Amino acid sequence: MKTDVFIAGGGVAGLSLALRLVKEGVSVIVVERQKGMGNVYKGELLQPKTLCIFEQLGIYPKIATEIRPLEKIITKELNEKNEPLLEVVMDYTTLQTPINTAAMIPHNCLKEILLEEASKYDEFQLLQPATFLRKQSDHEVIVKQGKEEISIQANLIVGAEGRESKVRNSVDIPLKKYSYSHQFLTVTFPSPPTLVYGEMIGNHERFLGLFPLPNNEVRSVLLIREGEYKEMKEEGLEAFYRAYKELKPDLEGFVDQVGSWKDIQLMIPVRHTVSHYVEGNVIVIGDAAHSVHPMAGEGMNLAIQDADTLGDLIAWMYQHQLEGDYTQLKWFERVRKERVEYLSWLSHQSALVYNLSGNLTQKLRIKAIKRLATNRRLHDKQMLNIAGVGLWKFGVIDGLSALGLGKTQLSENVINKYLFSKEDDYPWRYNKKR
Ligand SMILES: Cc1cc2nc3c(=O)[nH]c(=O)nc-3n(C[C@H](O)[C@H](O)[C@H](O)COP(=O)(O)OP(=O)(O)OC[C@H]3O[C@@H](n4cnc5c(N)ncnc54)[C@H](O)[C@@H]3O)c2cc1C
């Protein structure tokens, strides 16, 4: 078999890249080892930048019928008796972008749309279930389907197989891993009608995230300490329901509809980074290149944004007969690495804020959250960054601003300067120097 681009992994990264490429006439073979769409909980929060990418790809109208818009996230802190200590809002609608909302979509529903769209093109081929085994030479990979080993010739090889990427390992890209002392339980269940926006609720020892999905459901994540999963399971589902209802009493009659531990997924957060994303004609994207702590809901978005950048670059290389000049692939790293690493760092900071239990750490957290949400300068910068529509790192002036010294407002013109332009996103199309 022969193709322009071989993609290992048919997750959101692999399928988004495939769709981008086949639309531009570049042929693609995707191999996916799972039989169907898979049944584990994965990312469901789409940031505004990702929605803008879907608009450019022409699939936004279809996506829009399956999402639940998420305009605001309410952050609450409760005392030991679970009485309110703080309630602030992080508001996407303050963004000066054509799409200024996030959205929730079931992960598999998004993959189905990407697959359905890509399948409309003759240039798209999917081998499923089939597993990427190894890279045989620079332009040959071996895939196993059933009992058969298949050789595929490709110009470019993309690793999009998630955290345990074999493609990444085949070119010895080194990995740095960080772990955390907490874990999460995650499950979807019917939503109470009072839940309109996203909610992040913390007290001195726990954190609960609630994100409304379409069809009156809610996706939840509960932070637990190491060892607590076993204790809770021994006590029974009552312990699980109680943890939810203490933080959000409105969940009475809703969370109890989770009928079995089998429906509840244990999620162990890890963060990893790699030194580089490109090695010759091999590129890694999505979780294969970087996994981020799930607290800020960025993982799936970074994967789709990687696919958009790489897809446009490869299409441009083919349009300009540069498909054999692999040094051009370094553009991908130039555009994506700084953005990804900053968001990975921001997600890590959000995780640290909830990592330790106790009243003192809660007091510090309340102070930090209050400043972030109520100081317009900090709020708008945070929204710009997490939405993925721009990059403006926090610095000394922000520190002063948080202390009430210096500027607390940002004029529209200033924030617009930090929004990504087409030239920032696709610099190879604008004769920029690498
Ligand atoms: C419980 C949970 C909750 C999360 N919540 C969020 C969230 O709210 N927001 C967010 O943005 N992100 C979230 N994430 C992270 C997000 O799901 C990932 O960052 C995203 O799925 C990465 O996409 P990917 O395509 O790079 O990798 P994956 O989704 O891991 O896809 C990789 C694919 O490759 C396949 N594969 C692996 N090895 C091979 C092989 N050798 N051959 C062939 N195929 C192979 C796998 O079967 C899989 O389908 C969450 C993750 C988890 C686990």
Side-chain angles (χ1 to χ4, degrees):
M1 294 174 89
K2 209 171 168 201
T3 185
D4 293 326
V5 181
F6 168 81
I7 303 173
V12 285
L15 291 175
S16 304
L17 176 62
L19 176 58
R20 187 75 164 83
L21 290 172
V22 295
K23 275 178 90 91
E24 304 277 354
V26 179
S27 67
V28 158
I29 294 178
V30 176
V31 296
E32 169 52 51
R33 73 175 172 195
Q34 277 176 350
K35 251 191 192 152
M37 285 289 163
N39 56 1
V40 291
Y41 288 118
K42 282 198 171 182
E44 294 180 329
L45 174 65
L46 297 169
Q47 297 285 1
K49 176 69 176 179
T50 309
L51 294 172
C52 292
I53 289 171
F54 291 149
E55 189 161 60
Q56 281 179 43
L57 267 175
I59 58 170
Y60 185 66
K62 202 165 194 182
I63 299 264
T65 63
E66 305 289 348
I67 58 174
R68 165 113 182 219
L70 190 78
E71 291 167 344
K72 298 173 200 230
I73 297 179
I74 301 172
T75 303
K76 297 179 180 175
E77 288 288 331
L78 309 176
N79 67 14
E80 284 182 39
K81 292 183 192 147
N82 290 319
E83 295 158 344
L85 289 175
L86 174 79
E87 182 168 327
V88 288
V89 178
M90 299 302 287
D91 189 349
Y92 282 102
T93 62
T94 56
L95 289 168
Q96 305 291 315
T97 46
I99 299 179
N100 60 355
T101 177
M104 291 292 289
I105 187 167
H107 192 84
N108 284 351
C109 174
L110 173 61
K111 285 208 295 188
E112 272 161 22
I113 294 175
L114 293 168
L115 179 58
E116 198 182 309
E117 289 297 311
S119 303
K120 290 179 182 164
Y121 295 82
D122 292 341
E123 288 82 359
F124 180 74
Q125 223 181 317
L126 173 69
L127 302 182
Q128 184 183 23
T131 304
F132 165 76
L133 287 185
R134 61 184 179 274
K135 192 166 146 289
Q136 191 79 347
S137 66
D138 282 352
H139 294 288
E140 185 187 8
V141 297
I142 305 295
V143 163
K144 190 164 187 189
Q145 190 165 40
K147 289 192 174 136
E148 200 188 344
E149 287 200 0
I150 304 167
S151 155
I152 299 174
Q153 307 285 324
N155 178 33
L156 300 173
I157 297 167
V158 178
E161 341 90 295
R163 289 177 187 174
E164 307 301 329
S165 171
K166 280 192 194 162
V167 170
R168 181 187 67 222
N169 298 342
S170 76
V171 284
D172 294 328
I173 296 179
L175 183 79
K176 258 200 210 160
K177 237 180 182 173
Y178 310 81
S179 49
Y180 297 88
S181 61
H182 59 251
Q183 303 174 335
F184 291 96
L185 295 178
T186 184
V187 65
T188 294
F189 54 85
S191 175
T194 48
L195 193 74
V196 179
Y197 299 116
E199 291 194 14
M200 295 175 60
I201 311 166
N203 67 11
H204 63 292
E205 57 174 7
R206 284 204 191 286
F207 161 83
L208 176 66
L210 297 168
F211 299 93
L213 281 162
N215 302 326
N216 297 323
E217 289 193 312
V218 56
R219 169 74 182 280
S220 67
V221 280
L222 177 75
L223 183 144
I224 54 169
R225 311 285 157 199
E226 261 174 352
E228 221 182 330
Y229 181 52
K230 201 170 158 234
E231 285 166 24
M232 260 192 186
K233 269 187 105 171
E234 276 167 9
E235 196 186 329
L237 277 170
E238 269 310 316
F240 175 77
Y241 303 148
R242 195 170 56 240
Y244 272 62
K245 289 191 268 190
E246 272 172 13
L247 290 165
K248 180 86 179 163
D250 291 9
L251 294 177
E252 172 82 53
F254 294 90
V255 65
D256 327 55
Q257 294 185 45
V258 177
S260 154
W261 280 106
K262 279 193 202 132
D263 300 328
I264 303 167
Q265 189 176 306
L266 176 70
M267 180 165 81
I268 299 172
V270 277
R271 174 182 184 224
H272 80 236
T273 55
V274 294
S275 56
H276 55 289
Y277 302 161
V278 177
E279 185 72 45
N281 65 334
V282 174
I283 314 104
V284 286
I285 64 172
D287 275 17
H290 41 72
S291 68
V292 300
H293 189 282
M295 193 59 115
E298 291 292 346
M300 174 166 76
N301 294 281
L302 295 179
I304 295 165
Q305 292 160 20
D306 280 358
D308 176 64
T309 305
L310 183 63
D312 191 83
L313 174 60
I314 295 176
W316 173 84
M317 286 166 65
Y318 273 87
Q319 281 155 13
H320 293 82
Q321 288 82 48
L322 289 168
E323 66 273 19
D325 178 3
Y326 304 130
T327 62
Q328 300 292 342
L329 294 168
K330 284 282 169 189
W331 275 116
F332 171 64
E333 225 165 72
R334 213 201 90 180
V335 172
R336 290 300 300 155
K337 202 155 186 288
E338 187 188 15
R339 298 182 189 186
V340 166
E341 283 179 359
Y342 195 63
L343 279 167
S344 175
W345 180 82
L346 276 185
S347 303
H348 177 65
Q349 297 310 309
S350 316
L352 294 185
V353 160
Y354 289 97
N355 200 35
L356 299 172
S357 55
N359 290 332
L360 181 64
T361 46
Q362 190 194 17
K363 264 191 190 153
L364 293 173
R365 183 170 75 227
I366 289 178
K367 246 186 188 169
I369 295 173
K370 199 170 175 183
R371 285 193 175 142
L372 189 66
T374 56
N375 178 314
R376 192 66 201 264
R377 179 185 171 91
L378 302 183
H379 171 275
D380 288 5
K381 275 183 92 162
Q382 174 78 350
M383 296 320 284
L384 175 92
N385 288 325
I386 64 165
V389 295
L391 183 66
W392 192 4
K393 295 181 182 176
F394 288 100
V396 178
I397 298 179
D398 300 307
L400 291 172
S401 167
L403 296 171
L405 306 167
K407 285 191 174 177
T408 55
Q409 296 294 324
L410 281 179
S411 76
E412 221 169 82
N413 289 345
V414 176
I415 199 117
N416 284 346
K417 258 189 11 201
Y418 291 88
L419 287 171
F420 295 135
S421 66
K422 290 262 180 258
E423 285 182 46
D424 296 325
D425 285 346
Y426 315 114
W428 42 90
R429 294 196 180 268
Y430 296 87
N431 295 319
K432 294 268 181 188
K433 284 228 163 67
R434 210 164 54 228

